[in-house]
Amino acid sequence: MKRSELAITAPGAAGIDPAALTREQLLGWRCALCGTLLTGDRPLGTVTLSQGPTLTTYPLWACDPNCATENAWRAAISHAAGCEACRTGECETGQRLLDVYSTAFRGER
């Protein structure tokens, strides 16, 4: 059965659209929220897909720590690595990225 022929029979966890999930996300290899390869994970719930007469329930997994925090940190570090102004502490973009990370980190607690 083709991916376009899958029918969603149960709502996704955390507002996730099961039709938008990749095979790797359904099998728990990648984060169901951000799609990054999972190294540490946390359960999100399940989705059930219908493939013809067969119903398959997949457990969904997300990044642990929170992927919003992880992605914000990665963006700040990636920017700072190539930014001369970040080295002197005068970069507005770097400061904004660090503020986004700080907000995500506080929200995780």
Side-chain angles (χ1 to χ4, degrees), residues 1-3 8 11-12 21 23-25 28 31-32 36 41 45 47 50 52 56 60 64 69 73 85 103 108:
M1 179 166 279
K2 295 180 182 173
R3 181 100 174 122
I8 299 153
L21 296 173
R23 179 177 181 269
E24 289 82 11
Q25 288 171 311
C31 177
T36 59
D41 53 32
V47 294
S50 170
T56 306
L60 296 180
D64 190 24
T69 304
W73 178 248
T103 302
E108 194 176 283

Side-chain angles (χ1 to χ4, degrees), residues 1-3 5-7 26 49-56 58:
M1 179 166 279
K2 295 180 182 173
R3 181 100 174 122
E5 296 173 356
L6 293 175
L26 288 171
L49 299 175
S50 170
Q51 298 175 329
T54 305
L55 294 177
T56 306
Y58 297 94

Side-chain angles (χ1 to χ4, degrees), residues 54-93:
T54 305
L55 294 177
T56 306
T57 300
Y58 297 94
L60 296 180
W61 299 90
C63 297
D64 190 24
N66 186 325
C67 46
T69 304
E70 185 70 25
N71 291 337
W73 178 248
R74 194 172 297 139
I77 293 299
S78 296
H79 171 79
C83 179
E84 189 65 39
C86 280
R87 292 188 184 110
T88 62
E90 300 171 4
C91 180
E92 290 180 23
T93 301

